[in-house]
Amino acid sequence: MAAMLNLYISPSSSSCRRAEKWLNDHGIRFDKRDISKHPLNVDDLKQILRLSENGTEDLISTRCHSYKRLKRKLDFDNLRISQLIDLMVEYPDLIRRPLIFNNQQLQVGFSEERIRSFLPKETRKAMLNDLLDRANENITA
């Protein structure tokens, strides 16, 4: 059985809406959490960071207003991870969204190519076979 998928969103984000629609369109069950209404705490962020490839660099949105304001006062590159986590708790808009994850992998932001990794293996295999069959039909036509 596949691990339960989590989708952490902010409803005002078009990327979050696209991710939710994609998951629904592909019949993938998920737990949804609006992190603007139910912000992440330190333990939530530690769990997510364990899945990230590049730590807080993957999670922090450098385009948000809070980052731009804080950047004037802080040197993000020289902060300890605990300080960065505390900042993300205090300023939730620092967190890139959507966050899509299970207990094995994390995707930050919406990418139609990368989100496919959350499809069950059998589904991905069937989609690939279908794609190859169509490619072969085009070659022989």
Side-chain angles (χ1 to χ4, degrees):
M1 183 169 147
M4 184 57 183
L5 192 64
N6 297 287
L7 175 64
Y8 287 5
I9 65 156
S10 175
S12 61
S13 162
S14 62
S15 293
C16 292
R17 290 191 301 271
R18 287 194 328 262
E20 184 173 0
K21 181 181 183 329
W22 192 95
L23 293 170
N24 283 325
D25 288 351
H26 289 82
I28 298 174
R29 294 177 41 181
F30 56 92
D31 282 337
K32 180 171 76 170
R33 177 175 175 178
D34 178 346
I35 61 175
S36 61
K37 291 181 182 173
H38 304 284
L40 301 179
N41 61 38
V42 170
D43 290 334
D44 294 330
L45 286 165
K46 285 180 180 177
Q47 175 192 6
I48 292 165
L49 283 167
R50 284 186 194 99
L51 297 169
S52 72
E53 291 181 23
N54 302 302
T56 56
E57 188 177 317
D58 286 345
L59 296 184
I60 293 180
S61 171
T62 57
R63 297 188 312 186
C64 74
H65 296 295
S66 291
Y67 180 85
K68 290 174 183 172
R69 272 187 314 224
L70 291 168
K71 185 89 171 136
R72 292 183 213 138
K73 298 185 251 181
L74 301 171
D75 180 2
F76 275 81
D77 293 333
N78 289 317
L79 294 175
R80 293 187 314 272
I81 194 153
S82 61
Q83 292 172 306
L84 290 167
I85 290 171
D86 289 344
L87 282 173
M88 287 187 280
V89 169
E90 187 174 349
Y91 301 96
D93 67 319
L94 281 175
I95 303 166
R96 291 181 59 212
R97 292 163 295 236
L99 297 173
I100 308 163
F101 66 98
N102 56 25
N103 59 5
Q104 299 164 338
Q105 63 179 327
L106 167 71
Q107 179 181 327
V108 180
F110 177 72
S111 162
E112 190 158 349
E113 284 181 23
R114 290 184 302 147
I115 199 171
R116 292 181 187 284
S117 68
F118 291 107
L119 287 169
K121 187 176 185 176
E122 307 79 42
T123 304
R124 290 194 317 265
K125 190 174 182 177
M127 290 172 80
L128 178 60
N129 286 336
D130 183 52
L131 184 64
L132 292 172
D133 288 345
R134 283 187 285 162
N136 285 334
E137 287 173 6
N138 289 338
I139 291 171
T140 58

